[in-house]
Each structure stands twice: as structure tokens, then as C-alpha cells.
Amino acid sequence: MTARIHPTAIVDPKAELHETVEVGPYSIIGPGVTVGADTWIGPHVVLRGPMTIGRGNKIFQFASLGEISQDMTAKPDDPTRVEIGDGNTIREYVTIQRGTMKERDGLTKVGDRNWIMAAVHIGHDSIVGSHNILANNTSLAGHVLLGDYVGCGGYTLIHQYCQIGNHVFTGGGSVITRDVLPFIMVQGHPAEARGINAEGLRRRGFAAEDVAAIKDAYKLVFLSGQTMDKVKQELAQMASASAHVAYMLAFINGSKRALQR
């Protein structure tokens, strides 16, 4: 059995498609593209290699995945690539571009079970985790690190090299220029902290005592008025009783652009 490829689609002989893959009309799949089982590729999709796409993805019309990045240093023959995991929904006009030679071995990566809405842009060298929701027109500049279970409201803009922690929620139209601490909500232009992502944590079954510890850490970071050195000292004490606070402290220690604070 061979993949179900519409007769108007163009699939390069050097592309590797699982026999259960479906390719819609007028789509173009180039050499070096590998697509896993049960992935559906709609009409007018363009896939460029080197790129690996996992199992059970749905890629809607006019998406452009694996194209050379918009970085001015990028060259067509650079050994850069895109990796996309399993179970992602990628809607109309989404662009996910190859990495550059600047870092991470030229990799742009998307994890599993992300819901990526229309016209989202994931720039070069960005690493996106799993179970995220990126609403329409969200844009990730180059070198962004996006964690797991992040919700980005429509038209969220994320500056290059920013890190977004797990379980973050961004309000629509947010402009993020610094790192965003895990478990919190931000909104505004530029974005400001608006509290913890209590609803998201509730939906994911966080225990009441865990939410309370996260809230205490939030108050310490954003409302205490203390210097960051003092904040980290107190977080270190709290971290012994809470793995979530320990993660928040580790995130702060690893921050390169300082917190959106």
C-alpha cells in the first residue's frame, strides 16, 4: 500500500511518507521530508526538507513548513532542519522555518499535541514544547524557547531569545520582550504580570497546596519589592517543600533576558 496522494500533488521521490499519509490537491513535498503514520496534509501545503514530521498530525491548507529561515545569514544549503512531533494540529497559513547555523545545530523543533491556529509564525531556532495552544497570528521570533501547556492569546508577539515557562498564559495582543516565569499570566504592551494562571492550573489538576505555593512564590517575585538576589534566597528556602517553586527558581537562574517583571 502507498500513501494516498492526490494526482495534482507533487511529491519528490526522495521524500519518505508512511503508507497511511494523505496528501491533498496541489501540495508540494520536497526531498528530505519524512512524514509519519496517519498524518493528513491538506491542499496547497508546502513542505521543505530536511524536515521530520511525526504521527497523527493535521496540516491545513496554505501552511509552509521547513522553508529557509528569514534570517539574513541563512543559506539554502545550510545543514539546518525542522522537527515536528506527534498529534499536532497546524492550521491555515502557519509558517515554521528551519533553524540557522547560529545555535542548536540549526534546529527548529515543535513537540507533541500542540494546537497551532491560523497564521502563527514559529521562527528559526525556536523550540516549542508540547500541549500548547497558539492562537491566531501569534508570532515567535528566532531562538524562542516555549515550554509545555502554554496558552498564547491571539496576536501575541514574542521577542527573539525569550523563554516562556510551562503553564504560562498570555493575553491577546501581548508584546513579550523578556522571559516569562512559569505558571503566570501576562498581558499588555509591553506585557506585565497579571497573577498566576489559576484557571489553567485548575484544569490540569494541580493540588490546592501546590497552587498556594506557586501563589506565594508569585507574590515574592512580583509584589514584595525585594531585590532579585533576596527573592532568590527566599525562593530557595521555599523550594525544599515545593517542586514547582524549585522549577520557578531554576527558571530564574537560567534566564538570559531577565524576567517580564
Side-chain angles (χ1 to χ4, degrees), residues 7 14 51 55 71 103 114 119 142 145 167 199 202 218 223:
K14 294 182 180 179
M51 178 166 58
R55 300 173 58 93
D71 188 286
E103 65 172 313
N114 295 289
L145 298 180
H167 300 281
E199 179 61 20
R202 183 193 66 79
Y218 173 89
L223 303 178

Side-chain angles (χ1 to χ4, degrees), residues 211-228:
V211 174
I214 292 167
K215 185 177 293 186
D216 287 343
Y218 173 89
K219 291 177 180 178
L220 180 61
V221 174
F222 295 100
L223 303 178
S224 69
Q226 299 185 64
T227 65
M228 186 54 73

Side-chain angles (χ1 to χ4, degrees), residues 181-241:
L181 193 66
F183 309 118
I184 76 167
M185 299 187 299
V186 295
Q187 193 274 330
H189 183 182
E192 297 180 1
R194 306 291 186 180
I196 69 167
N197 183 14
E199 179 61 20
L201 300 182
R202 183 193 66 79
R203 292 180 181 183
R204 293 169 202 129
F206 276 61
E209 59 269 25
D210 292 330
V211 174
I214 292 167
K215 185 177 293 186
D216 287 343
Y218 173 89
K219 291 177 180 178
L220 180 61
V221 174
F222 295 100
L223 303 178
S224 69
Q226 299 185 64
T227 65
M228 186 54 73
D229 285 342
K230 180 63 174 175
V231 165
K232 290 195 288 186
Q233 291 175 14
E234 295 196 26
L235 286 176
Q237 296 176 1
M238 299 167 60
S240 62

Side-chain angles (χ1 to χ4, degrees), residues 8 51 66 107 110 112 219:
T8 61
M51 178 166 58
L107 174 64
V110 176
D112 303 326
K219 291 177 180 178

Side-chain angles (χ1 to χ4, degrees), residues 34-130:
T34 300
V35 184
D38 300 315
T39 289
W40 174 82
I41 300 166
H44 297 280
V45 171
V46 177
L47 305 180
R48 303 285 191 195
M51 178 166 58
T52 300
I53 299 173
R55 300 173 58 93
N57 296 285
K58 293 183 178 180
I59 305 172
F60 284 72
Q61 54 266 27
F62 310 114
S64 174
L65 312 181
E67 190 56 83
I68 184 173
S69 80
Q70 296 175 98
D71 188 286
M72 294 179 68
T73 67
K75 300 178 178 62
D77 58 350
D78 284 342
T80 58
R81 67 198 192 281
V82 170
E83 294 180 5
I84 297 173
D86 302 332
N88 296 288
T89 295
I90 300 173
R91 294 301 303 250
E92 300 86 348
Y93 298 102
V94 168
T95 53
I96 302 175
Q97 296 179 347
R98 287 160 49 193
T100 64
M101 300 303 295
K102 294 180 178 180
E103 65 172 313
R104 297 194 195 95
D105 299 322
L107 174 64
T108 302
K109 184 175 181 178
V110 176
D112 303 326
R113 291 173 289 283
N114 295 289
W115 189 265
I116 303 174
M117 299 187 196
V120 167
H121 173 69
I122 298 176
H124 59 84
D125 304 288
S126 292
I127 305 296
V128 175
S130 299

Side-chain angles (χ1 to χ4, degrees), residues 70-72 100 102-104 121 123-126 139-146 157-164 175-179 256-258 260:
Q70 296 175 98
D71 188 286
M72 294 179 68
T100 64
K102 294 180 178 180
E103 65 172 313
R104 297 194 195 95
H121 173 69
H124 59 84
D125 304 288
S126 292
S139 184
L140 279 59
H143 312 278
V144 169
L145 298 180
L146 193 81
L157 306 179
I158 304 178
H159 193 280
Q160 61 184 355
Y161 293 101
C162 285
Q163 302 180 61
I164 313 298
V175 177
I176 295 172
T177 58
R178 297 183 182 273
D179 296 344
K256 296 179 180 179
R257 291 188 57 84
Q260 196 84 35

